[in-house]
Amino acid sequence: MTAITSCRRARRAALLRADDRLPFEGGLALDEHLAGCDACRAYAELVEDVEETLARWPEPPAERLDVDAAVSAVRRRIGAESRNADGVDPSAAPRRSFAFLVFAKPARVAAVAAVTIVVAAAAWFAWSSRTASTDPVEPRVASKDRDAFDGSADAVASGITNDGASEPGDDVAARTERVAPADADTAAGASLPEPEPIDRDRLAAARARLAAVLAANADALPVGATRDEARDFASAVDDALAADGDWPWRRFAERELAAPDTGLARAAARYLGATGDGLSAAALAQASKAHDTAPAVMLALRDLERLDAPECAAALADPARADAVLAALAGADDATAVRVIARAVDRAFDARVIADRSSRAKDANASPAEIPSHTDLAAHADRLIDALLDRGPASLDAAIAACARGVLSREALHDRAGDRAWFAASIASAAASASADERGALAWWLDARTNGASAVPALVARAERGTARGAALEALVATRSADAFAAIVALHDAGLVDFDAADRALHAIAEARPDAVATIAPLATTDRATAAWILALDTSAAVPALRALVADEGAAPDVRRDAILALGRLGGADEAEWLAPRVRAFSPRDRQLAAAALIAVHRLDGDAAAERALEGAPDRLRNTSLQILRRADRLDREPPVHRLSRALAPWLEATDSTNGKASS
């Protein structure tokens, strides 16, 4: 707590406390200063007196206010007070300058300030009502007896008594009389009401009365009362207070939000939620920082339709208060809930907040129980994301925006939203209308990852138009489909995608979905470009596609040979077992394929596998073939396919002839 050593700061703090904008620590510092400074204490009392006086004054209807008469009345009131205090007739006294007000007695300054503020406010209301429309609407009033005043100074005077209530007879007169002419200063000015001096004992009694009524009716208010139940509670409170005068009960209730009695603070919150105004909403937002009363405060803000206040998002980002906010949001509309949760998600994922909590954890004065761990923060952030997505399609824009800001990754969003029934159709619609910016690229990627091959045509069209081609290519990879693989190959052949980009994209698809690559292997029969890309995939994910190419007798012989050799580099023992019987199954004209298969088998499983592949071959041929393979291993070079194929040719011809006789 920072001590207040300057009277200027102390008086500024007194004004802030009058507006309920002074923090708790500031109030303690102000009280400490006032305890030792008589001048500032007198000033603070004056400020409180003015505030309470203004709170007791009703607001006259703006469109009927006679400003000239009111100003004349103020002048006469000043004159009357001067005559009573000094014994001098103001009509005979010389005209006083503004310095008179500056050096006058404090009580006189208070009276003049209060009346002048009221007149200025009334003049502003009158001007705004004339400029707003030719037929102004009666403004909303804070007092139930406000309709009793027709705006003239006489009506205002007749409508107020010492206890703040209107007399029935004056009410009727006020409704029927016309406004006095502007030049009727004497008649109108003499009847301007004088604010009732503040009786501190009565003020304290009124506040105590409100607290007692709230406490007495709190038992009838359920903990999670609905809006209608809260209104019934507020009506019961108002009925109980009806005979106690026209006090500013809402302002009194705002003070009870900080009451030590949690039950009383909760009752005050629900009362303000049912009857409050903008000031009440601000007071409730400030009170949301207290954990004990947070549930009631949030429900009150929901009743006032003020849940989109920044304090609500801050409370939702706090794991200790989040349940209270989520309970209140359950009864809010989707748009409001999405705004609040999205702001809370930003706070929860903000690295600066996490760093701040870490630094607080190192503070010896901090209580470890009050500081959430990083694990707790991460779990809470995930919970907020789920709460956001629970709002359905209305949350999609906010979720994509959170990804764009780096609050969460697109993969995390897909993992949490991809299985929801509404997501596939909503993201497809969003991607179709998305622009070529960062958010649009995120929508394309999420659509591709969620809807797969169905997103490929639109992505290819965007890439062909040159609209964010890199983002479109990345989204094609996200489909993990054979259609995307073929589309990327076509884009490269058309010169729209360079080799490096296409190579990275095709490798990504092969790693993610090997089966997708295998399904396009038949295209190699007619599309050598596709075959070349499959052969260029230096990854075990290409093995299924390579097997398909080897088994496809319609593919070009050189493509099949290269596929067999690639299997020898990328495959395993299963591929060795699969290739071994094919060595002797090839025809003499395909002896290069047989030689490539023998090389692949030897590379995958050694001499034993090669001997199994040469089962039935003459010993001389077997020894020659094995010598060629072993020599290549010793020299660490590729075995010569042509030389090995010549060695295998006689045996393949004999085998083919034998098979032909057997078949005939």
Side-chain angles (χ1 to χ4, degrees), residues 124-149:
W124 183 86
F125 278 119
W127 176 83
S128 61
S129 63
R130 292 192 186 98
T131 56
S133 65
T134 58
D135 186 18
V137 180
E138 183 77 12
R140 182 181 177 183
V141 295
S143 172
K144 60 186 179 182
D145 298 321
R146 191 61 44 78
D147 292 336
F149 308 117

Side-chain angles (χ1 to χ4, degrees), residues 169-439:
D170 293 337
D171 184 16
V172 176
R175 294 178 182 274
T176 57
E177 289 179 0
R178 300 296 298 169
V179 177
D183 58 351
D185 293 343
T186 302
S191 59
L192 187 72
E194 177 182 355
E196 181 184 353
I198 295 299
D199 186 337
R200 295 186 177 277
D201 292 337
R202 290 184 59 207
L203 181 62
R207 290 174 177 170
R209 171 62 176 163
L210 173 66
V213 172
L214 288 174
N217 289 273
D219 294 338
L221 183 68
V223 174
T226 64
R227 183 180 284 106
D228 291 337
E229 290 173 335
R231 288 173 179 170
D232 293 340
F233 165 75
S235 297
V237 172
D238 288 338
D239 291 342
L241 296 172
D244 293 290
D246 191 16
W247 291 93
W249 300 115
R250 283 181 296 192
R251 305 290 83 85
F252 293 169
E254 290 163 11
R255 294 174 179 267
E256 299 301 334
L257 292 174
D261 185 350
T262 303
L264 177 58
R266 290 172 178 170
R270 297 312 303 270
Y271 175 75
L272 290 172
T275 65
D277 52 14
L279 292 176
S280 303
L284 287 167
Q286 289 296 322
S288 65
K289 298 176 182 179
H291 294 183
D292 293 339
T293 57
V297 168
M298 290 301 163
L299 291 175
L301 286 171
R302 180 203 63 188
D303 296 344
L304 285 174
E305 298 182 356
R306 298 295 182 92
L307 278 175
D308 54 354
E311 291 82 0
C312 294
L316 183 55
D318 182 0
R321 294 179 289 161
D323 289 337
V325 185
L326 291 175
L329 288 175
D333 59 277
D334 287 339
T336 299
V338 166
R339 285 197 302 272
V340 175
I341 299 174
R343 292 171 186 166
V345 167
D346 285 344
R347 287 175 175 268
F349 278 91
D350 193 341
R352 290 175 299 178
V353 174
I354 296 178
D356 179 64
R357 292 186 183 276
S358 298
S359 63
R360 286 170 51 198
K362 297 177 182 178
D363 186 356
N365 296 326
S367 172
E370 298 176 356
I371 303 173
S373 66
H374 285 234
T375 303
D376 293 338
L377 288 173
H380 183 59
D382 291 341
R383 180 189 181 193
L384 294 182
I385 292 295
D386 290 336
L388 178 65
L389 296 174
D390 286 342
R391 288 292 173 167
S395 66
L396 183 58
D397 288 343
I400 292 177
C403 285
R405 291 192 299 271
V407 171
L408 74 161
S409 67
R410 61 190 184 185
E411 291 81 5
L413 177 57
H414 175 266
D415 292 343
R416 292 189 171 278
D419 295 335
R420 297 175 185 264
W422 58 269
F423 188 73
S426 296
I427 194 60
S429 176
S433 59
S435 57
D437 55 11
E438 185 177 6
R439 292 192 184 187

Side-chain angles (χ1 to χ4, degrees), residues 46 49-50 105-115:
L46 175 62
D49 288 344
V50 171
K105 298 178 180 179
R108 179 178 300 161
V109 174
V112 174
V115 176

Side-chain angles (χ1 to χ4, degrees), residues 383-610:
R383 180 189 181 193
L384 294 182
I385 292 295
D386 290 336
L388 178 65
L389 296 174
D390 286 342
R391 288 292 173 167
S395 66
L396 183 58
D397 288 343
I400 292 177
C403 285
R405 291 192 299 271
V407 171
L408 74 161
S409 67
R410 61 190 184 185
E411 291 81 5
L413 177 57
H414 175 266
D415 292 343
R416 292 189 171 278
D419 295 335
R420 297 175 185 264
W422 58 269
F423 188 73
S426 296
I427 194 60
S429 176
S433 59
S435 57
D437 55 11
E438 185 177 6
R439 292 192 184 187
L442 285 170
W444 298 346
W445 189 92
L446 289 168
D447 177 35
R449 186 69 177 272
T450 304
N451 295 308
S454 62
V456 170
L459 293 171
V460 170
R462 291 189 180 96
E464 290 174 345
R465 292 195 302 266
T467 305
R469 187 170 292 155
L473 184 63
E474 191 173 8
L476 281 171
V477 173
T479 65
R480 301 178 176 182
S481 65
D483 292 346
F485 194 101
I488 293 171
V489 171
L491 289 172
H492 173 265
D493 293 343
L496 299 177
V497 178
D498 61 33
F499 175 84
D500 290 338
D503 185 59
R504 288 193 300 270
L506 296 176
H507 271 79
I509 294 177
E511 292 287 352
R513 285 282 305 279
D515 57 325
V517 184
T519 58
I520 68 167
L523 292 176
T525 304
T526 57
D527 186 359
R528 295 184 66 88
T530 303
W533 280 107
I534 294 176
L535 295 174
L537 292 175
D538 190 18
T539 171
S540 59
V543 168
L546 295 173
R547 278 196 179 199
L549 280 177
V550 173
D552 186 1
E553 296 181 358
D558 58 337
V559 171
R560 297 180 71 192
R561 180 198 62 204
D562 291 343
I564 293 172
L565 293 175
L567 277 177
R569 294 193 306 273
L570 304 175
D574 291 342
E575 280 65 46
E577 292 294 330
W578 184 75
L579 284 172
R582 293 180 179 275
V583 172
R584 54 183 176 273
F586 286 113
S587 64
R589 78 167 180 270
D590 292 332
R591 57 182 180 271
Q592 286 195 5
L593 298 181
L598 183 60
I599 292 172
V601 169
H602 183 265
R603 177 175 293 165
L604 291 172
D605 207 12
D607 289 351

